[in-house]
């Protein structure tokens, strides 16, 4: 505010608030954990239910988070049915992954 009570005009700063295309916070990211699902397994879009020792990957790209699973040490990844949703802030990726692991990892049944 100026001395006469009027608001100051903000200065334009080129590039302020932008993230570089060098894998910054908004770029593709992922988290992985080994899981053992309960007796019902995990439903996937490509092959139906998968069971046994799995690896869960939570991916963030283009404003969306997607869960994928693979049989431990396999090459193929499968999208977990119904898990591709918008995520406004990539900082939430760790929390989403933690919740997914908590829901899907049921080694005791």
């Amino acid at each position: 505010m100026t001395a006469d009570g009027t608001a100051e005009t903000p200065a334009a700063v080129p590039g302020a608030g932008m993230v570089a295309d060098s894998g910054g916070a908004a770029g593709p990211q992922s988290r992985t954990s080994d899981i053992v699902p309960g007796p019902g397994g995990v439903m996937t879009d490509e092959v139906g239910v998968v069971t046994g020792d799995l690896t869960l990957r939570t991916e963030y790209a283009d404003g969306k988070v997607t869960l994928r699973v693979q049989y431990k040490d396999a090459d193929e990844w499968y999208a977990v049915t119904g898990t591709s949703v918008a995520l406004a802030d990539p900082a939430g990726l760790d929390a989403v992954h933690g919740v997914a692991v908590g829901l899907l990892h049921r080694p005791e049944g």
Side-chain angles (χ1 to χ4, degrees), residues 4-82:
D4 67 359
T6 60
E8 290 184 27
T9 305
V13 179
M18 301 298 286
V19 177
D21 286 334
S22 60
Q29 301 177 47
S30 68
R31 305 291 184 270
T32 59
S33 295
D34 291 334
I35 64 168
V36 178
V42 177
M43 179 61 78
T44 68
D45 293 345
E46 296 86 358
V47 295
V49 175
V50 293
T51 60
D53 294 338
L54 304 174
T55 301
L56 172 69
R57 181 171 68 196
T58 306
E59 303 172 341
Y60 174 83
D62 300 324
K64 290 188 344 184
V65 67
T66 302
L67 301 181
R68 298 186 191 281
V69 291
Q70 73 175 171
Y71 290 104
K72 191 162 170 52
D73 300 322
D75 293 328
E76 300 83 15
W77 288 93
Y78 308 113
V80 177
T81 300

